[in-house]
Amino acid sequence: MSAHDPTRIASSPVQVAKGAVVLSLSETHALCAKAARGVGFDWGHAEEAGHAAAWLAARTLPGCALILRRLQMGPDALTPAHSVQCPLRIGVALVDHVNLPEAAQDYARLVNIALPGLVLPFVGLAARLRGADLGVVANGQDFGLHADGTAPNFAAMSAFCDLTVGDIRLKFGPRQMPPVPQKKTCAPLRSTPMDIWRALDALALRVTVPPSDHSLGGAGGDGSDND
């Protein structure tokens, strides 16, 4: 097998303990985005999956594990025809509509969301774009995501990420003068189980193409680069 075979080019995270690795936020984003594309999501939603995983990881929440669970359902498993809704598509729609006139009311209700923890990164982004704190009430959990990027109640957020299906009620606070300065939110990165990384890596490799005589024959220049 060629050393330049693109189907063998995979990430190499730092192993911190037996069966666990630590991914940087950029590695988390790239890995989950490519994995989402590998299962059939369009590039736009794949990039949003990477963003969601990195946002959660920056707050010591299990971003890779949640994204893998969603990807294992397949890209078309949760559509408007189903009773349970896709957290990535709901999150994207929330961000797209948060500053439109139709969103003038001070609350929103999201119903029957699969893996609702994956909506939290989009709620955080919506708070920043709107310039207003957002209160989240869901399945007995009550916490806030602030316009400055902070979210103080990590225990409630962690419990929320454990839910398989949930409803979310958002309460919009008063708008602040934009732009709202963003505060540093990255906590020490948590480790990711090796089996989760391997599963995501296998999905990410689906976007690569094995080399062929045709592709290799057209690579490089026609002449020599030697002086």
Side-chain angles (χ1 to χ4, degrees), residues 16-34:
V16 294
K18 185 176 181 180
V21 297
V22 171
L23 300 172
S24 68
L25 296 183
S26 59
E27 285 176 323
T28 297
H29 185 289
L31 175 64
C32 291
K34 288 194 292 185

Side-chain angles (χ1 to χ4, degrees), residues 29 41 47 65 69 78 83 90 92 115 145 159 172 178 212-213 215 222 226:
H29 185 289
F41 277 95
E47 285 292 334
R69 289 174 63 189
L78 306 175
S83 59
I90 289 295
V92 169
L115 305 175
L145 296 176
F172 295 93
S212 65
D213 291 339
S215 65
D222 292 335
N226 294 332

Side-chain angles (χ1 to χ4, degrees), residues 7 20 25 50-51 53 57 62 72 84 113 123 129 142 149 163 182 187 193 205 211 223:
T7 63
L25 296 183
H51 156 72
Q72 288 173 334
V84 180
I113 311 298
V123 175
L129 294 175
D142 190 346
L163 297 174
Q182 297 295 290
L205 287 175

